Every structure is written in C-alpha cells, then in structure tokens.
Amino acid sequence: MAVPFPSTDAPTEARLDNVPSFDDLDRLSIGEIADMPPALLLALQDEAAAETARVKRLKDRFEAALAQRYGAATEAERTAQGKTSGTVRIEDAGVVVIADLPKKVFWDQDRLAAMATRIREAGDDPTQYLEIAYRVPERRFGAWPDAMREGFAAARSETTGKPVFRLETRDR
C-alpha cells in the first residue's frame, strides 16, 4: 500500500489531509514509515516524544494515587509482618493489592576493598565472600598513553547496542 505523502508545492490545507499521524503508524509497514519524507519523520518523532512524556506523566499520577490510597495500609501490613521492605498483600473490596517496597543496598567500596585485602592476608580467598569486578571507564581508557592502552587491549572487547536515531531541524 503506497502512503500518499504531501507534495511540497501543494497548499497547506491539501497537504494536511494526506499526512499520516502518529496514531496511523500501526497500520503502516516499517518500509512505508521509512519511506516518509524527513520532515514528516521529524514531526512523528516529536509526536512520539510528546506522547511518551504524556503517558509517563499519567502513569506517575496514577501511581501517586495508588500510593495515597494504599500506602498507609500496606505499610501497616509490612510492619505487622515485621518487614521493613519486600512484598505484602492486602485486600480492598475483593481486589488484591500487592505492594512491593524493594530493598536497595549500597556497599562502601573502599571498606570492601580493605576487607578483601584482610581476607587475602589471612590466607583465605576473598572471592568466596565477595564479588570482585574490575572496570575501566571508556573515557579514561581513551586518555591513556598508547603503551598503557596496548597492555589492557587484550582484556577489552566492544559490542554495540541498538541504534538510536534522533531528527532535528538545523535551527534547533
């Protein structure tokens, strides 16, 4: 199915009748979308960003309303179960409300490194107790002298992620 695209010399009113909207993307093939003029792709990208922001705003409001309605009751249930975090269930008019309060744990990296040293000095293997990870920030690696980078090159590999495209007009 060919998607009618407005010609650039047509009057504005005539062009608007043939322009697919963001909601039309479901009925178009990927190829049809890819063949759209750049200005239309830019407009659809802007519409997608606005819709994403709108949905996030609505979701945040909805979640705030759920927290307002069920926060105290789920916290009371969590306390009754002797929990400071985790999942609890309450019921409201036949609807089960499942509230999860995830636990976030942060470890002091300097103290853990000192503990690993003490464990190693005591003749034990710190990896039996700790997960030890080494990382090199890419900016730092790129700033090293060539000789230093060459020494680390065998330990480094690269992959790519999903490509991301953003369209803008020249005056943005």
Side-chain angles (χ1 to χ4, degrees), residues 129-149:
Y129 309 98
L130 306 168
E131 288 182 13
I132 300 173
Y134 298 98
R135 291 179 191 83
V136 177
E138 192 62 19
R139 285 181 191 241
R140 193 176 293 173
F141 178 78
W144 288 350
D146 288 342
M148 180 77 130
R149 277 198 312 262

Side-chain angles (χ1 to χ4, degrees), residues 24-106:
D24 295 325
L25 294 181
D26 271 343
R27 67 174 178 77
L28 300 173
S29 72
I30 299 299
E32 289 169 330
I33 297 167
D35 288 342
M36 290 179 180
L40 182 53
L41 292 172
L42 174 62
L44 291 170
Q45 176 183 263
D46 289 347
E47 198 175 339
E51 184 67 10
T52 299
R54 184 184 78 81
V55 168
K56 184 184 180 324
R57 246 186 348 269
L58 292 174
K59 185 174 185 281
D60 289 347
R61 286 180 60 82
F62 180 70
E63 288 174 356
L66 291 178
Q68 181 176 323
R69 180 167 181 152
Y70 298 115
T74 56
E75 189 56 35
E77 179 63 22
R78 198 173 281 110
T79 301
Q81 292 182 21
K83 295 179 166 184
T84 57
S85 61
T87 304
V88 294
R89 289 170 169 73
I90 62 170
E91 193 171 320
D92 182 12
V95 174
V96 176
V97 178
I98 303 166
D100 184 30
L101 183 61
K103 180 189 300 188
K104 290 189 176 184
V105 176
F106 299 96

